[in-house]
C-alpha cells in the first residue's frame, strides 16, 4: 500500500483524537509506534490507525 492513494473510514481520528476530514490521501507508511502517516499535500499530513484506511483503485481516481 506504500505510496498509494487511500481514503479514511467515516469518523476516523488522528493520533491526537481529532476527527480527520474524509477525502483522498497519499499513504506514506507506518511508523515504529504503529501509526499510519497519510498526507493531503506536502504540508498537511496526519497519523491515523492503519485499520481506518481503505485503498482506492486508480480507475476511481481518473474518473
Amino acid at each position: 500500500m506504500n505510496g498509494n492513494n487511500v481514503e479514511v473510514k467515516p469518523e476516523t481520528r488522528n493520533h491526537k483524537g481529532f476527527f480527520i476530514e474524509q477525502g483522498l490521501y497519499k499513504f506514506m507508511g507506518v511508523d515504529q509506534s504503529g501509526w499510519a502517516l497519510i498526507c493531503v499535500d506536502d504540508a498537511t499530513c496526519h497519523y491515523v490507525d492503519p485499520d481506518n484506511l481503505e485503498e482506492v483503485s486508480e480507475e476511481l481516481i481518473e474518473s
Side-chain angles (χ1 to χ4, degrees):
M1 188 186 299
N2 196 15
N4 292 341
N5 292 308
V6 295
E7 290 182 324
V8 293
K9 294 179 182 176
E11 310 225 356
T12 296
R13 295 176 183 257
N14 66 10
H15 69 294
K16 295 181 179 181
F18 295 101
F19 286 108
I20 300 297
E21 186 175 327
Q22 287 193 267
L24 195 61
Y25 294 87
K26 184 171 183 178
F27 178 76
M28 306 304 288
V30 177
D31 70 4
Q32 291 179 337
S33 62
W35 291 102
L37 179 62
I38 57 173
C39 297
V40 176
D41 53 34
D42 291 338
T44 308
C45 296
H46 304 282
Y47 283 103
V48 298
D49 183 339
D51 291 338
N52 288 329
L53 300 178
E54 297 176 337
E55 195 164 3
V56 177
S57 67
E58 294 297 320
E59 297 88 43
L60 293 175
I61 297 168
E62 295 172 3
S63 308

